[in-house]
Amino acid sequence: MQLGADHVRVRVPATSANLGPGFDALGLALAIHDEVEVRLLASEDVVVEVDGEGAGEVPTDASHLVARAVRVGLDAVGAPVTGLHLVCRNVIPHGRGLGSSAAAAVAGLVAARGLVADPSVLDDATVLALATELEGHPDNAAPAILGGATVAWTPDARPGSAADDDGPAPARAVRLEVHPDIVATVVIPTTRLATSHARGVLPTHVPHADAAANAGRAALLVEALTHRPDLLFDATHDLLHQRYRADVMPGTWRLVDALRRQGLAAVVSGAGPTALVLTTPPATSELDAALESEVDLRRWRVERPAIAPEGKRGAALTSGVGPCPAACRVAGDGKIGTTPVLDWRRSLAHDAITRCV
């Protein structure tokens, strides 16, 4: 596969996984975005600049997750691997259960899509499969790619199939249209928690009754997210993972428990320690009052991002001034059509969009 561009910009949303009972399966895209700009270099060097979250903490060489993901994407389609110059503008909090690593993996893979001559070889299904290999599970990658809410799963290999011979079948996902009345609130602590630590405290076995109850609530949650938001409180009840993690995020567990005692659909966001609360407008004022009494703003911050209807967006760029293709017309307010995409204003004076990816 030949390269078709030397400059790509990508924007990827934050995500909240699990949503209570949907462990490793359900996810939600949130309108908190990281932006990544990738330029090819004539040398073999990999240079990474980071602004915002993670600056001074994450690697700035080829081991950076976005750089690794770009190269995984290029390798997957047989494209030549060159040097890279990455600029990462990070807004998604790191180590808080909001999908920052999935966003980085998806950003790198979509950047690779924009760099190759035929972007269709890295379609969304392929990006999800590769991101899942990088992440280990698809629940954050799926909404980062598709937007809205998603259900992700890994198909069982059929006996005698290629997947049965070559390893696990690639992850798949479907997108759910979130009910317009649902409001997401994230309560983000100053402390961090590594996903590996949060997963490490989970038991290898759970009671059959708990697993059965969770299956029912996860199924109900699909209906609550799409058609019946009045069911969100019952639908977000979890017995599979959250209580087992209480000791590694005691502040989050106390907050989630206190909010649920008031009838609010509060859950741990992903592996934590952020709390996610899903409400409808009548209950949002109740949530605000509850947070005022429960949250010490010196240790937590409260944000109410929109649910992102679209996942990743990217564009291959060329130097010079030129028009955007009609299919992805860029307005002067930094939007593609009516959907916020990138802050294109920083680059329109110097770069022209050749195709959206």
Side-chain angles (χ1 to χ4, degrees):
M1 172 61 60
Q2 293 182 334
L3 296 172
D6 62 3
H7 182 193
V8 180
R9 188 174 292 114
V10 180
R11 188 185 199 227
V12 183
T15 52
S16 180
N18 303 330
L19 310 183
F23 182 69
D24 276 4
L26 292 176
L28 186 68
L30 302 172
I32 304 169
H33 292 88
D34 282 356
E35 294 181 13
V36 173
E37 191 165 351
V38 180
R39 294 177 185 268
L40 299 184
L41 299 178
S43 68
E44 296 182 356
D45 296 336
V46 176
V47 180
V48 182
E49 300 177 39
V50 179
D51 180 39
E53 286 284 333
E57 300 173 353
V58 298
T60 55
D61 57 16
S63 65
H64 189 282
L65 180 52
V66 175
R68 288 194 285 123
V70 173
R71 291 191 156 176
V72 164
L74 295 177
D75 284 343
V77 298
V81 176
T82 70
L84 301 170
H85 180 196
L86 276 61
V87 178
C88 303
R89 303 180 182 94
N90 296 339
V91 179
I92 302 171
H94 286 196
R96 304 308 205 291
L98 288 169
S100 60
S101 62
V106 170
L109 292 166
V110 174
R113 174 196 289 179
L115 293 171
V116 299
D118 180 8
S120 67
V121 298
L122 280 171
D123 60 11
D124 284 352
T126 304
V127 169
L128 176 61
L130 294 173
T132 301
E133 291 180 12
L134 286 164
E135 278 278 281
H137 42 89
D139 50 348
N140 286 104
I145 295 166
L146 301 176
T150 55
V151 183
W153 74 99
T154 301
D156 292 331
R158 295 183 179 90
S161 68
D164 188 45
D165 296 334
D166 300 337
R172 299 177 63 186
V174 293
R175 183 183 182 279
L176 307 175
E177 192 69 37
V178 179
H179 193 285
D181 288 350
I182 294 178
V183 177
T185 302
V186 288
V187 190
I188 307 169
T190 55
T191 55
R192 296 180 180 180
L193 178 63
T195 299
S196 58
H197 188 191
R199 295 182 78 89
V201 299
L202 297 178
T204 56
H205 297 82
V206 297
H208 185 276
D210 289 355
N214 249 58
R217 298 305 175 100
L220 181 62
L221 185 51
V222 172
E223 176 69 9
L225 287 169
T226 55
H227 296 101
R228 293 283 306 277
D230 58 299
L231 297 174
L232 280 169
F233 177 74
D234 287 339
T236 51
H237 180 63
D238 168 71
L239 294 171
L240 198 61
H241 65 103
Q242 292 185 149
R243 62 181 178 178
Y244 296 108
R245 292 168 160 168
D247 288 344
V248 298
M249 55 180 100
T252 302
W253 180 247
R254 285 194 297 268
L255 176 61
V256 167
D257 183 60
L259 294 177
R260 292 195 68 85
R261 288 178 183 275
Q262 298 182 52
L264 296 162
V267 299
V268 177
S269 179
T274 291
L276 169 73
V277 192
L278 299 174
T279 58
T280 54
T284 304
S285 57
E286 298 174 21
L287 171 61
D288 291 340
L291 291 175
E292 189 173 344
S293 62
E294 298 290 344
V295 171
D296 181 351
L297 293 180
R298 295 170 299 179
R299 299 178 180 177
W300 304 77
R301 75 176 189 267
V302 179
E303 296 188 17
R304 191 159 285 154
I307 294 171
E310 294 187 341
K312 81 288 170 274
R313 292 299 298 268
L317 308 175
T318 56
S319 299
V321 178
C324 176
C328 56
R329 182 69 61 190
V330 177
D333 59 358
K335 297 181 179 180
I336 289 179
T338 59
T339 304
V341 179
L342 295 174
D343 186 0
W344 301 105
R345 289 167 290 187
R346 285 199 297 262
S347 65
L348 281 176
H350 306 288
D351 301 306
I353 298 174
T354 58
R355 64 172 185 252
C356 291
V357 295

